[in-house]
Amino acid sequence: MRLARRLVALLGPLAAGWLACWLIPGLLLGRPAALLDGSAPEGWKMAYVACLYLVILASTFRAWRRCGPGCGAPALGSPRLSGLFGGLGLGLLGVGTHRLVLAWGGWWSPPALSWETGLQAVGVALVLAFGEEVLFRGYLLGVLREELGRPRAYLVANALFAVVHLLRPGDPLFKMAYGLGLFLAGAVLCRLAENSGSLWAGIGLHSAWILMGVLDPPTRIHPGWISGLEGDPAAGVLGWALLTSLWVGLGVLGRPKSTLAVSRPGF
């Protein structure tokens, strides 16, 4: 009963805000589902994403203050630049290794980039990663671990992380492959948050993944089971292997902190 109350405290405002984010602009455009089916103009899509992540942060911080996890959850607190840049470096090392293997196999060639594009991508990546880490590895993982125990909390939190990203049109086979990659990515981020006792390292790692996805979209990768179905690295054997190796490596190199900082949104 307490778990249901704590989840409703988050999911109720989040669902209402998400509905408003796409339905109101859709009605203004004359096509209610325009933002969900991808037919809306690009400017409207960007506004939708910005509003959605504001809703995610507002809903999560509200729930966290009302009935959020205690000292057993990874904290946010004040920014930890060492954790942020450490996670970012780890992520860039991983995606760099991935792209080198793809290039060696003839599945990818480097894109042409500009400083302007790069700076814009960094801003987008940090905002998206911050919102998702606060939601999934902050509030949800903390609450689920207190209510269900660590193994089941891992399973449920990472399954939710995967399912939320699959709520879009697509081929069922791709969704299955992509869902597995997302689950593994969530497990890596959970382990990193537990080992460091903070969300900032995960924000850095997650930012690196998003950054590469913006600068080097899946359309540039030759699709396949090794490189990734539909060109997405998370939907291929190479991506799964690297994520699994990272998860194992984090388990060998670090252990969850027995006493974590008090879990507060920090705002």
Side-chain angles (χ1 to χ4, degrees), residues 5 15 22 28 30 57 61 90 100 107 148 157 161 165-166 173 189 197 203 209 222 225 230 253:
R5 179 175 61 84
W22 64 263
L28 293 174
L57 287 172
F61 288 146
L90 180 63
L100 285 175
W107 293 297
L148 302 177
F161 178 66
H165 287 79
L166 295 175
L173 185 60
L189 291 165
I203 292 171
W209 292 341
H222 184 72
W225 278 106
E230 298 189 13
L253 296 176

Side-chain angles (χ1 to χ4, degrees), residues 4 18 27 68 76 94 99 106 122 141 155 159 187 191 202 210 222 240 249:
W18 172 70
L27 291 173
L76 182 60
R99 292 306 195 274
V122 168
L141 179 63
L155 179 63
R191 174 159 281 182
I210 297 174
H222 184 72
W240 302 337

Side-chain angles (χ1 to χ4, degrees), residues 128-240:
L128 299 190
F130 182 85
E132 293 190 14
E133 290 309 298
V134 169
L135 172 60
F136 289 103
R137 261 62 65 177
Y139 185 83
L140 277 177
L141 179 63
V143 164
L144 290 170
R145 201 169 65 174
E146 288 179 353
E147 300 292 342
L148 302 177
R150 188 167 176 266
R152 285 189 290 177
Y154 254 64
L155 179 63
V156 175
N158 295 327
L160 286 173
F161 178 66
V163 168
V164 165
H165 287 79
L166 295 175
L167 296 177
R168 63 182 189 183
D171 178 75
L173 185 60
F174 166 74
K175 285 191 173 186
M176 292 176 61
Y178 187 46
L180 174 57
L182 290 168
F183 186 90
L184 293 173
V188 169
L189 291 165
C190 283
R191 174 159 281 182
L192 186 58
E194 287 190 323
N195 286 1
S196 64
S198 167
L199 296 176
W200 287 101
I203 292 171
L205 176 59
H206 199 157
S207 296
W209 292 341
I210 297 174
L211 178 63
M212 183 58 74
V214 173
L215 294 177
D216 186 34
T219 53
R220 291 189 48 82
I221 297 175
H222 184 72
W225 278 106
I226 300 297
S227 56
L229 298 183
E230 298 189 13
D232 198 301
V237 173
L238 179 58
W240 302 337

Side-chain angles (χ1 to χ4, degrees), residues 80-128:
R80 298 185 182 181
L81 293 181
S82 60
L84 179 66
F85 286 112
L88 185 62
L90 180 63
L92 292 176
L93 177 64
V95 295
T97 302
H98 180 268
R99 292 306 195 274
L100 285 175
V101 175
L102 288 183
W104 176 76
W107 293 297
W108 173 82
S109 58
L113 302 176
S114 67
W115 282 105
E116 182 181 357
T117 302
L119 290 175
Q120 290 175 349
V122 168
V124 169
L126 286 172
V127 170
L128 299 190

Side-chain angles (χ1 to χ4, degrees), residues 9-18 52-66 135 139:
L10 169 69
L11 298 179
L14 188 58
W18 172 70
L52 177 60
Y53 276 80
L54 285 175
V55 166
I56 288 174
L57 287 172
S59 301
T60 305
F61 288 146
R62 176 182 178 274
W64 206 328
R65 291 191 180 98
R66 288 167 62 93
L135 172 60
Y139 185 83

